[in-house]
Amino acid sequence: MHFYLIGVDYKKAPFEARERLCRLQGKIAGFWKEKNAAILFTCNRIEIYAVAGSTDEAFSNTALFSKAFPEFFRYAYVLQAELAVFRHALRLAIGLE
């Protein structure tokens, strides 16, 4: 299993860009519906936490998402290492991120 994260937050994207991306919530959720992912939408961030069977599958899903939502990737950060994803999620959960 390979855990990965694709996100946009207030540090990288201005409010107007985050607002435009939030309007795509249904389309973004639809893209990830069959791909073992959980999506967090807030006023400060959009994050996709996903699990793939392999690194290749994770990179493929990321590339497909990038093509489908180029504006998202204009501001996005990607974490591919399981430990980095886990640490980020914990920091977010306890309010440090």
Side-chain angles (χ1 to χ4, degrees), residues 14-73:
F15 175 78
E16 297 80 19
R18 293 190 320 271
E19 193 173 70
R20 283 192 307 274
L21 292 172
C22 275
R23 287 190 207 116
L24 299 174
Q25 183 174 351
K27 290 180 181 181
I28 291 170
F31 178 91
W32 291 99
K33 185 176 182 181
E34 302 295 325
K35 293 181 177 59
N36 294 320
I39 306 171
L40 172 68
F41 285 95
T42 72
C43 61
N44 288 329
R45 68 184 68 242
I46 302 169
E47 291 184 334
I48 300 138
Y49 293 83
V51 180
S54 68
T55 304
D56 289 340
E57 181 184 350
F59 282 119
S60 175
N61 288 341
T62 302
L64 290 170
F65 186 65
S66 172
K67 286 183 182 182
F69 297 92
E71 185 176 10
F72 193 98
F73 269 81

Side-chain angles (χ1 to χ4, degrees), residues 3 49 79 81-91:
F3 294 89
Y49 293 83
L79 300 176
E82 284 89 352
L83 185 56
V85 173
F86 182 71
R87 282 184 177 159
H88 177 83
L90 285 178
R91 289 178 57 78

